[in-house]
Amino acid sequence: MWIAQLSDPHVRPAGTLYQGVVDANAALAAAVAQLNALDPQPDLVLLTGDVAEAGTAADYAAARTILAPLRAPLRVIPGNHDEREAFRLAFRDHGYLPAAGPLHYADAASGPVRVIALDVTIPGLHHGEADAAALAWLEAALAEAPGRPTVVMLHQPPIECGVPYLDLYRCHGGAALAAVIARHPAVERVLCGHVHRTMLRRFGGTLLCTAPSTATAIALQPRGDARPASFLEPPGFLLHQWRPEGMLTHHVPLGRFPGPYPFA
């Protein structure tokens, strides 16, 4: 099973640049086209939050238009830039989303790998919180199929990544979340977005991966006095392949590059 992971497209209304700098809408459209050209096709596409930059109806209308050509089934979760109710309304045809409350869900129909989404966003704030209610929901969802390979996706990573201005906006409650994950060894990956970079770390006995943004890359600046900054580095997405012996994750740059050449 192939699972593609897009993240943080920060879609704006048609004709508006993200942060006045980058055509994030065109970048997401290019990602959709690149996914559609993969052979074999992904069995599932996950979009791990910050679908919209401002969470407006116009943002989501543009996002739905851009995502419409995607051939593979799509599963979405909100990020800190999304507005929960506008997000719910925009994706109201996605029957796996709950009608009220946080947008947690367990997708039992996703194939051999079950997808569990944990909505750790806090309306109006940029950090996340794995609170007691969210952890209880997750524990129950994982217990429903304890032997089935599973990925858990949430927007803000529940770890400190060593970049101070990113760590301010992590998902709080990471130790308690890791304890829940550790009780369920069928969890193959914890998949996050938010940081606009690819990062890997052991977490709760499994591997946590963050996906790059399709729009911009947040600067890797570990100094405590570093100021927030971003670059127009080559964007990308993650491609996870599940086999019975485990899950393998690839980073795929977005774009066209010279080749193919007849050597490996």
Side-chain angles (χ1 to χ4, degrees):
M1 181 180 183
W2 290 92
I3 302 172
Q5 182 187 357
L6 299 173
S7 203
D8 296 85
H10 289 272
V11 171
R12 301 304 325 274
T16 304
L17 297 179
Y18 168 57
Q19 298 292 341
V21 173
V22 61
D23 190 344
N25 295 24
L28 180 59
V32 169
Q34 192 161 329
L35 288 173
N36 284 344
L38 289 177
D39 185 15
Q41 277 282 283
D43 298 285
L44 191 66
V45 176
L46 309 179
L47 207 173
T48 46
D50 280 358
V51 175
E53 165 63 5
T56 66
D59 287 347
Y60 291 119
R64 290 305 307 264
T65 298
I66 297 165
L67 292 167
L70 190 63
R71 295 175 182 169
L74 176 67
R75 303 292 183 266
V76 295
I77 56 169
N80 53 296
H81 281 267
D82 291 305
E83 199 287 316
R84 183 178 285 165
E85 297 312 316
F87 184 99
R88 196 192 317 268
L89 181 62
F91 291 97
R92 60 190 177 277
D93 56 322
H94 286 228
Y96 55 85
L97 290 175
L103 292 167
H104 310 317
Y105 59 88
D107 181 14
S110 54
V113 177
R114 188 168 64 135
V115 173
I116 292 181
L118 192 67
D119 179 7
V120 297
T121 61
I122 305 172
L125 298 176
H126 287 298
H127 71 277
E129 181 74 40
D131 61 18
L135 294 175
W137 181 91
L138 177 62
E139 185 89 63
L142 288 168
E144 288 175 358
R148 184 174 175 186
T150 299
V151 296
V152 175
M153 65 173 182
L154 58 155
H155 181 64
Q156 293 99 331
I159 59 169
E160 291 188 357
C161 67
V163 179
Y165 52 76
L166 287 177
D167 288 338
L168 289 173
Y169 304 124
R170 70 188 184 280
C171 173
H172 296 176
L177 177 57
V180 173
I181 298 293
R183 289 194 286 273
H184 298 274
V187 176
E188 294 276 351
R189 289 287 187 276
V190 176
L191 303 179
C192 306
H194 189 57
V195 294
H196 291 216
R197 303 195 62 83
T198 301
M199 301 181 185
L200 306 172
R201 211 193 86 172
R202 293 285 296 174
F203 181 81
T206 188
L207 185 63
L208 182 149
C209 302
T210 67
S213 167
T214 55
T216 58
I218 293 178
L220 177 56
Q221 299 189 110
R223 288 179 56 94
D225 60 353
R227 301 185 62 160
S230 292
F231 288 91
L232 295 183
E233 296 178 11
F237 57 89
L238 299 183
L239 194 58
H240 311 282
Q241 184 190 23
W242 181 81
R243 301 175 181 178
E245 61 268 29
M247 184 167 276
L248 177 69
T249 296
H250 301 266
H251 173 272
V252 182
L254 182 59
R256 295 189 176 190
F257 306 95
Y261 298 106
F263 55 82

